Amino acid sequence: MTGYPWPNPRDDDPDRLRRAWPTTVQALPCGARVTGTVIARKPFGVFIRIDGMPDALGYAESTAIAHDVVPPLGTTVTGEVTWHVSLTHEVQLRLLVALQGPDASISANDAPTAAARLVHFAHAFINFANGTFQWVDLQHFRLPETADDDGALLAALIAHERFGDNYAGSDPGGDPERHGPYWRERIRPACYDPIGADAAQRHLRAWAEQHAPLPEHLRPDLEREAYQRLRAADRVYKLRDLGPAAFHDWGGVHTEFHELVLIDRVNRILSLLVAADD
């Protein structure tokens, strides 16, 4: 992301963060208040150098910033530790207030990292019912008028109440702490990788018919709800495999779990597609 550089490459040194991780976790338990300086802004949030902890890296998503105020580089902030992200050795923070710094009152309307607002309008569920226990779940959201920042849209999706779904018995929004096999707070916009629409279609088709042919009466439904939307999307993202370290307390019950996010700016629709089994 060349438009959001690290001012100092040392701040994002993964080996240094990993070596200091046990000390970081012990010194900064959940609930601890910290102060620090914003050292990088990404499309999905800000990174903070924490005072007194030179080998720790703080991170706050745009959805975890009080009053939708996204502090610019160099701003001194205070926040609360909400989680330890072992996968990336980052201290997840909820920012409380920006104390001082240049232009410290940038609002959500002016800042590219501020969370966009998504409006849910439709839900589709396609159960294959062919002995494979496979299914596809789609949630459709209306994009805001200004939807130029993919990172902000992904952050808004993660923050939306319907994202809290373990896909193993709960309704959309019925499990605020979990998303599929993962703890919800372990998922952030950077966990989604761009994928071409054609590649995404091939991936979904291969998964759908790997064990048995798709029932003929379901082909029009899958074509309408999934494949047509994939072809219409100008950007598609795939949630990467976050591994067992990100599993919630009973994560891993799905044999496979595939997630795509489709952004269709022409029709102003964002679709969350989950393909899994139970």
Side-chain angles (χ1 to χ4, degrees):
M1 298 180 184
T2 56
Y4 299 86
W6 286 94
N8 181 355
R10 184 180 182 277
D11 291 321
D12 192 32
D13 181 352
D15 291 333
R16 179 177 60 85
L17 299 179
R18 175 180 52 78
R19 289 192 299 268
W21 187 241
T23 301
T24 299
V25 172
Q26 183 176 17
L28 300 173
C30 289
R33 294 289 182 94
V34 301
T35 58
T37 304
V38 175
I39 57 173
R41 297 178 73 190
K42 302 292 180 179
F44 43 82
V46 295
F47 289 87
I48 297 109
R49 183 186 296 119
I50 299 173
D51 292 349
M53 300 290 295
D55 295 324
L57 182 64
Y59 164 75
E61 285 189 356
S62 55
T63 56
I65 297 175
H67 310 302
D68 284 340
V69 175
V70 181
L73 291 176
T75 302
T76 300
V77 297
T78 183
E80 179 181 349
V81 176
T82 59
W83 194 257
H84 303 104
V85 186
S86 299
L87 192 67
T88 54
H89 305 109
E90 294 166 1
V91 180
Q92 187 165 306
L93 302 173
R94 179 174 65 90
L95 295 193
L96 304 175
V97 64
L99 300 178
Q100 58 184 3
D103 301 322
S105 60
I106 295 176
S107 71
N109 291 330
D110 301 320
T113 54
R117 301 293 184 262
L118 300 175
V119 178
H120 181 265
F121 71 90
H123 177 209
F125 182 79
I126 303 171
N127 187 352
F128 290 9
N130 60 353
T132 65
F133 303 100
Q134 291 172 281
W135 46 262
V136 173
D137 185 282
L138 297 107
Q139 302 281 346
H140 302 303
F141 303 84
R142 189 69 61 192
L143 291 177
E145 291 292 340
T146 302
D148 297 330
D149 187 339
D150 289 357
L153 293 176
L154 291 170
L157 174 64
I158 295 168
H160 198 282
E161 61 180 8
R162 297 184 74 89
F163 195 78
D165 188 346
N166 58 50
Y167 293 96
S170 73
D171 294 325
D175 191 344
E177 296 182 345
R178 298 173 181 83
H179 180 80
Y182 306 120
W183 289 115
R184 181 180 183 176
E185 57 194 2
R186 300 294 184 94
I187 302 175
R188 52 189 233 200
C191 296
Y192 290 87
D193 297 320
I195 181 174
D198 290 342
Q201 279 196 73
R202 291 194 299 270
H203 176 77
L204 184 58
R205 289 184 189 276
W207 168 84
E209 305 202 35
Q210 62 180 324
H211 301 302
L214 185 71
E216 287 299 323
H217 71 279
L218 292 181
R219 290 186 184 277
D221 295 338
L222 202 57
E223 175 66 26
R224 180 183 64 255
E225 292 293 341
Y227 299 132
Q228 285 185 8
R229 293 183 185 276
L230 274 168
R231 290 192 291 271
D234 50 273
R235 295 299 298 271
V236 181
Y237 289 88
K238 183 179 185 295
L239 178 65
R240 73 172 67 103
D241 184 351
L242 302 183
F247 280 177
H248 57 65
D249 46 354
W250 48 269
V253 298
H254 303 95
T255 304
E256 296 185 48
F257 185 86
H258 304 277
E259 179 168 319
L260 299 170
V261 177
L262 291 54
I263 301 175
D264 176 0
R265 288 188 168 85
V266 173
N267 296 300
R268 291 187 52 226
I269 295 172
L270 182 147
S271 297
L272 170 63
L273 185 157
V274 170
D277 56 67
D278 53 16

